[in-house]
Amino acid sequence: MTDRSRPSSGPGDVRWAFGCAFPAVAAIACATAGTWYEVSLVAHAHVYCEGDLSAGEGFAGTVWVLSRFVLFPAVSAGSALLSLPVQLLARLPWAARRLWPQLLLTVLALAVTLAGPVALTLYDLATQGTTGDCVLPWWPAWLPT
């Protein structure tokens, strides 16, 4: 009698590692590049709306930036954790045999991973970057001001 079980490593293992590591890589990218992008975007918007900042506003902005260096990676990690059930759905037997459900669920998991950082960036831009009735020239018309 021969053993027909799969070898311990193969193409399935590579797909499994890629699928589970994909949200983690996206979360790390959001935590590093996303934090810098959000801080610079909000700072540019704040300077555009307020003009030159006083010393007190500059200090408050520094404290806010330091809080974002803690909060933004936490939101990125939380979003990646929320995307793991979607990735696990792609590994169920009915989806593992077909390419299109895996691809669709991987894209959905990536969207869930990116949703938290994007929402935090839009929220911070709307609350911290634009004060009063200031509307940025690059602000999309479909988003509330």
Side-chain angles (χ1 to χ4, degrees):
M1 178 160 202
T2 59
D3 184 23
R4 294 188 180 208
S5 63
R6 285 185 29 206
S8 61
S9 70
D13 293 336
V14 172
R15 285 190 304 175
W16 175 264
F18 176 72
C20 288
F22 199 57
V25 170
I28 290 170
C30 285
T32 55
T35 304
W36 174 82
Y37 180 71
E38 181 200 16
V39 167
S40 68
L41 186 66
V42 170
H44 282 92
H46 192 70
V47 169
Y48 176 81
C49 289
E50 294 294 321
D52 207 12
L53 302 177
S54 68
E57 289 173 333
F59 179 72
T62 303
V63 171
W64 178 83
V65 166
L66 291 176
S67 73
R68 287 309 177 246
F69 282 129
V70 174
L71 183 64
F72 206 85
V75 168
S76 298
S79 292
L81 286 175
L82 288 176
S83 73
L84 284 179
V86 177
Q87 282 289 5
L88 291 176
L89 284 175
R91 304 302 171 233
L92 289 175
W94 64 270
R97 286 182 238 135
R98 295 175 184 88
L99 181 62
W100 69 267
Q102 284 184 349
L103 184 62
L104 181 69
L105 290 171
T106 301
V107 169
L108 182 63
L110 181 63
V112 170
T113 301
L114 295 177
V118 168
L120 183 62
T121 300
L122 289 176
Y123 174 78
D124 286 342
L125 187 61
T127 58
Q128 294 292 327
T130 57
T131 55
D133 292 333
C134 180
V135 177
L136 301 171
W138 63 84
W139 191 256
W142 53 270
L143 284 174
T145 57

